[in-house]
Amino acid sequence: MKYISTRGQAPALNFEDVMLTGLAPDGGLYVPESLPHYSEAQIAAWSSLPYTDLAFEIVQPFVAGCIPDADLKAIIDDTYSEFRHPAIAPLVQLGHNEWLLELFQGPTLAFKDFALQMLGRLLDYVLEKRQQKVVIMGATSGDTGSAAIHGTKRCSNIDIFILHPYQRVSEVQRRQMTTVMGDNIHNIALKGHFDHCQAMVKASFADQGFLPEGRQLVAVNSINWARIMAQIVYYFYAAYALGAPSRRVSFSVPTGNFGDIYAGYLAKQMGLPIEQLVVATNQNDILHRFISNNQFEKHELQHTLSPSMDIVVSSNFERMLFDCFDRDGAAIADLMERMNTETVSIPATAFDKVRGLFNSYSVDDAATVDTISRVYEDSEYLLDPHSAIGVKAARECWQDRSVPMVTLATAHPAKFPEAVMKAGYPDAPPLPHHMADLFDLDERYEVIDNDLAAVHSFMAANIRA
Ligand SMILES: *Cc1c(COP(=O)(O)O)cnc(C)c1O
């Protein structure tokens, strides 16, 4: 499988090289040159596979030519052996035809484990084969950092540096990063906001001269294709459990960067009979505003109770737009360029395609808290704030109640005690048993000023030979 850039000006790469880089050199994102499409009979043939066997079938074409089947199987089995629930992605019923897909059974309690635990192992495999060492640098508002650290803690060919905004992530989130000990793991608490962390990572990818000879940076945010690929699997898995392919299924997806819902869109393009895809946003609602009235307009960042969806622009949206523009890279490059400085609309032919694919809804903090309390009252199920946004949007956008609606539950409520307690829940929700000692463990992190040179010199001093 070859990968091409959404802006049409970069050479095609294979899976390994795509995984080991960030953005394409033309500023675009990599997507598969062509997507596999499966017949209903083929889809039906996988309907009773366990999660890991299904993951193998879905992922295999994307890595073909780079990773032999037996090795891929071993990587996938190892990845999901760390999940606590035997179903890996269990479904829970909330109401008639209304379901939650629990994607927080992995080691760091958020859906990012599905992709990042696999990415760490894929990187380790490829780097070992190539006898190459790399540096991971990433910014996190909480969940990406812990999942990436956990996924790479045993990788001898990777030094990982994760920047989080100093005193601006929850204590559970911070401790999930800073209590993982290893001489390849480095947490930087940057004296600034998440945007500053992100800007610093972006500047570092653009000029990697501060790295030792022969090293390169690898991205762990959802611009990395390998993350998206791993997320396609659970759409199939949930749909099968509810009767696909003979029955259609809808999904509601709490999203900020459009990463998770883009994986659902891909599942649909690959042949999975998905009825509705609901884009659920918080007050940072650029996606909702665009899908409802064809206006791409950056607004200032708002800090919400669902911090993992606090974004200004949604990077993965470009991947989906590329398809809606019939893969015209020059048109996408022009659109993205203009978006930096003005409010843009897209031609009606492309917009009609977007409208045909997605519904959207934006949920503010008050409605988030209200949804957590209502669902708890009705069914004694405690939602985290991100999942609550998904449930609220699902209820608002659900068109045909005879089609099952699945909301992706993206985090465990113990990660976000503030929102849960605002909803009237009396205490911070307890952590699962396997991390009950989180508050007793030693922490290690470096507080650094919001200064690029200071961060680079810390990194240069800590990258192992
Ligand atoms: C990252 C994250 C999201 C949003 O994911 P996207 O990649 O933006 O779709 C939603 N919920 C939680 C808990 C997250 O950590």
Side-chain angles (χ1 to χ4, degrees), residues 174-456:
R174 188 191 71 237
R175 286 181 163 274
Q176 282 184 319
M177 299 190 277
T178 58
T179 58
V180 183
M181 296 297 160
D183 57 4
N184 65 330
I185 297 169
H186 301 281
N187 280 287
I188 296 173
L190 194 80
K191 286 192 173 161
H193 293 273
F194 173 62
D195 298 9
H196 299 130
C197 298
Q198 230 174 359
M200 201 163 279
V201 171
K202 206 168 175 191
S204 305
F205 270 83
D207 182 358
Q208 304 189 12
F210 69 99
L211 294 173
E213 187 71 25
R215 297 292 167 91
Q216 68 186 59
L217 291 180
V218 168
V220 287
N221 58 0
S222 56
I223 66 168
N224 194 320
W225 166 261
R227 273 188 61 174
I228 303 291
M229 160 188 99
Q231 293 171 191
I232 298 170
V233 180
Y234 47 70
Y235 287 90
F236 277 84
Y237 189 71
Y240 284 139
L242 296 171
S246 46
R247 197 170 179 211
R248 302 177 74 77
V249 178
S250 294
F251 289 93
S252 172
V253 186
T255 192
N257 243 332
F258 206 74
D260 206 359
I261 186 122
Y262 175 64
Y265 158 81
L266 293 174
K268 184 169 179 166
Q269 303 305 317
M270 288 163 70
L272 189 68
I274 295 178
E275 176 90 1
Q276 278 185 276
L277 280 169
V278 177
V279 174
T281 75
N282 65 20
Q283 285 128 282
N284 296 289
D285 60 349
I286 185 166
L287 288 169
H288 173 59
R289 284 182 281 113
F290 176 71
I291 293 167
S292 22
N293 51 33
N294 192 5
Q295 286 206 325
F296 250 129
E297 186 182 24
K298 286 197 218 178
H299 285 183
E300 208 150 297
L301 187 83
Q302 295 191 53
H303 293 280
T304 71
L305 291 172
S306 44
S308 304
M309 288 155 54
D310 288 348
I311 47 91
V312 174
V313 289
S314 310
S315 45
N316 279 294
F317 203 58
E318 177 169 343
R319 285 182 157 130
M320 195 276 304
L321 282 180
F322 183 56
D323 288 348
C324 293
F325 275 78
D326 298 323
R327 304 206 137 198
D328 180 348
I332 294 294
D334 171 65
L335 184 74
M336 293 300 147
E337 197 57 47
R338 284 192 290 125
M339 236 185 79
N340 281 326
T341 52
E342 54 186 286
T343 302
V344 292
S345 299
I346 63 173
T349 46
F351 186 63
D352 288 346
K353 289 183 198 165
V354 175
R355 281 286 277 252
L357 286 161
F358 301 98
N359 303 99
S360 68
Y361 197 77
S362 157
V363 182
D364 65 14
D365 277 349
T368 304
V369 166
D370 183 60
T371 305
I372 296 174
S373 352
R374 263 169 208 252
V375 169
Y376 191 72
E377 268 168 39
D378 291 346
S379 48
E380 270 193 45
Y381 189 92
L382 189 58
L383 292 166
D384 103 287
H386 305 81
S387 311
I389 286 172
V391 168
K392 174 71 177 165
R395 291 177 175 180
E396 294 292 333
C397 297
W398 197 355
Q399 286 156 354
D400 178 352
R401 304 251 161 180
S402 71
V403 176
M405 173 62 83
V406 180
T407 295
L408 305 198
T410 50
H412 190 287
K415 277 197 129 167
F416 301 97
E418 188 193 348
V420 171
M421 289 168 76
K422 280 206 164 111
Y425 192 78
D427 302 301
L431 287 162
H433 288 301
H434 73 100
M435 52 175 67
D437 62 350
L438 187 69
F439 286 86
D440 305 325
L441 300 173
D442 288 338
E443 290 188 82
R444 188 165 62 89
Y445 60 98
E446 193 78 12
V447 181
I448 302 183
D449 285 337
N450 180 17
D451 171 39
L452 191 62
V455 169
H456 286 179

